[in-house]
Amino acid sequence: MGSTERIRNVAKRVAKWARAGHQMVVVPSAMSGETNRLLGLAKDLAPSRASSAYHRELDMLAATGEQASSALLAIALQAEGMESVSYAGWQVPIRTDSAYTKARIESIDDQRVRSDLAAGKVVIVTGFQGIDEHGHITTLGRGGSDTSAVAVAAAMKASECLIYTDVDGVYTTDPRVVPEARRLHTVSFEEMLEMASLGSKVLQIRSVEFAGKYKVPLRVLSSFTPWDIDIEEEARSGTLITFEEDEKMEQAVVSGIAFNRDEAKISVLGVPDKPGIAYQILGAVADANIEVDVIIQNLSKDGKTDFSFTVNRNDFARTVDLLKEKVVPALGAQEVVGDAKICKVSIVGIGMRSHVGVAARMFRVLSEEGINIQMISTSEIKTSVVIDEKYVELAVRTLHKAFELDQPAAAAA
Amino acid sequence: MGSTERIRNVAKRVAKWARAGHQMVVVPSAMSGETNRLLGLAKDLAPSRASSAYHRELDMLAATGEQASSALLAIALQAEGMESVSYAGWQVPIRTDSAYTKARIESIDDQRVRSDLAAGKVVIVTGFQGIDEHGHITTLGRGGSDTSAVAVAAAMKASECLIYTDVDGVYTTDPRVVPEARRLHTVSFEEMLEMASLGSKVLQIRSVEFAGKYKVPLRVLSSFTPWDIDIEEEARSGTLITFEEDEKMEQAVVSGIAFNRDEAKISVLGVPDKPGIAYQILGAVADANIEVDVIIQNLSKDGKTDFSFTVNRNDFARTVDLLKEKVVPALGAQEVVGDAKICKVSIVGIGMRSHVGVAARMFRVLSEEGINIQMISTSEIKTSVVIDEKYVELAVRTLHKAFELDQPAAAAA
């Protein structure tokens, strides 16, 4: 939420839903820029601390942002003539573990909220925060407000959890790359998970996982839609993330094209092919807290093999150094080569499960454009390829067209 | 507390005290301007609401200011190498009644704070706020942080409660009026109460009352003193408000001259002198929520009397209208006259109890300067007069000199 003007608009929108007969629980984020302002003050005072005591205080500090915006929203709703009350996470309570700055929700007590709803109030619950078993305030970290909203919706057994974001839904691909990209009316939970993990920044993957675990129907819609649009229209807007497969009668084979430019490829060449090499290479990487995505081990030839994987670009140089210093000598491998100018492109679709040849079609389309595939990784509902970064727009556009994602009939629910 | 620079200085000062072997509990106010900023946002959203639900949300909102500054102070202390933890009022807990925006502290649980102190930590407790029996956040209203500090000091049975303010102590009178005014090293609780109620804005009267109730030795000292001055010097600085009368061996007869320009005088003339007139006049005023200070009923003459009292200047016009419309006709009084250009000047001193003739000396000094006394009000340790506003500086200067308050020996403890 931004200025008081935006808070007022949120209040009008919530009041509209409540007046239409819905019991409403609202989970606001902090006002725009507030969390960064607060954490900036902390950083100014203690530039580089990492103790648990420090993280505890960061959570005390950051939690005030959502408490303030929640109280302001309750006030704005009261000014709209709605009865409303706000609760901090500890008041609900939303119980979490004690991992300050990245806590996980353990349980939510729905009694207090339920009794206020029954009394006709709109209930505001602070996002992003909870309380641990010792009574300390915790925050959930990045994307915490979305996760809180989903968790509260799960606890309340809500009929739908509406997530108002700065985009108006989930698209077949990034509209900045493919202007013909279409908004999906529905997308399955599994597809959303794959898209979220592939850099489609609509929702934090954590909130999607949470929704999946508790089967909370999630609707992603735009906070920029005027508050006074017809409620039926708003209820159909955005993208619904569903868990009911049979809802999608006309299943598209591929629902979207995702891509991720944040990765880098690293290959360890000439590794003696013996048991345990994957563990020796990736174990060292994992010990350094570096996350690995795509992993490929080539066929062995003359007792040697090549081993490739991708990491986040921020970890690229560190990973290469680590391998050169420790792993290559220990393994007796030949050398380490890396390439930060790559991109991962994926086709995602729950329909791929029952349609053969989808991956083959992807590879054919890319080869017809002269795009060399460097790595391949597949799952039940996704096929990813790693290609030269300079081909990313071409690959995404071509695949979007080849799988007819620009055609309304194909992707509509 | 102002900027992070000021927070850092507070941390250094607290660390100095802690390193000298003191167990420290710190009760910070919000950062400078923060409470006004937050309440301004609320006012912007709901210009004129007065419901309990609204006040509840104001407290949720305002409480974030102290929570943030407390967490920041804990972080700054950690950066100084001190172990530190901050607690919001509800975490201590500080129990209050449910009077949102002006709650009263009912009890403080000292267990949590005590165990952290025993573990060698500096404990930060948010000022200004608590929790009611239903788990709602409450705030204490104006001067709440001082009151919180005194209450925590009482609960912890602290040896002294240091209140850092923007003045360096309590003075014999306002130094802007009398440059010779001297800082008092000690002042009795009763004197401080009289001075606080008379417009000496050093401490909110509420926190002084609280200190008196629980006999918490309070020291008022300046937050502008460099944090690194010698600790023994700092421990003697400011003004100590004491409860031990025998501490003051060389008791000054008069400790200070207070004055208040915020009042206005109202007289109801020609009131038939019969039982119940005070109630009929002041009852109507009290019903309109107007506070009355000095009250004088003149001697009756020919079955009629005049009745005078003072109110805050902001209530002057409203009180006169009220009396003219309702009280004068009902009482059969003659008329209502008022004067907003008055000032109340008081001499305050616990020594007045055992010294006769102090009031008489005050009256003589004023008459020698040709200052007419319009009203007189006395208590055990205070004599107040109402005079024409234009004489206030002359009266204060003359009394300050007459009672030798400019002489070091007279007022030192």
Side-chain angles (χ1 to χ4, degrees), chain B residues 52-63:
Chain B
S52 165
Y54 173 65
H55 286 135
R56 180 194 179 280
E57 299 304 326
L58 283 187
D59 282 359
M60 279 291 277
L61 180 66

Side-chain angles (χ1 to χ4, degrees), chain B residues 35 39 58-59 62-63 66 96-97 99-105 127-130 138-148 204 206-207:
Chain B
T35 306
L39 296 179
L58 283 187
D59 282 359
E66 279 75 14
T96 73
D97 62 20
Y100 300 123
T101 74
K102 49 177 194 285
R104 302 221 152 234
I105 294 175
F128 181 63
Q129 63 191 267
T138 55
T139 70
L140 309 184
R142 201 176 262 253
S145 283
D146 287 355
T147 306
S148 298
Q204 286 289 329
R206 223 171 129 192
S207 60

Side-chain angles (χ1 to χ4, degrees), chain B residues 333-363:
Chain B
Q334 204 171 322
E335 62 173 324
V336 174
V337 295
D339 183 358
K341 303 204 167 196
I342 54 119
C343 178
K344 187 169 72 166
V345 176
S346 308
I347 56 174
V348 177
I350 212 158
M352 289 166 68
R353 282 183 190 159
S354 46
H355 286 71
V356 293
V358 177
R361 187 159 149 210
M362 179 191 198
F363 305 151

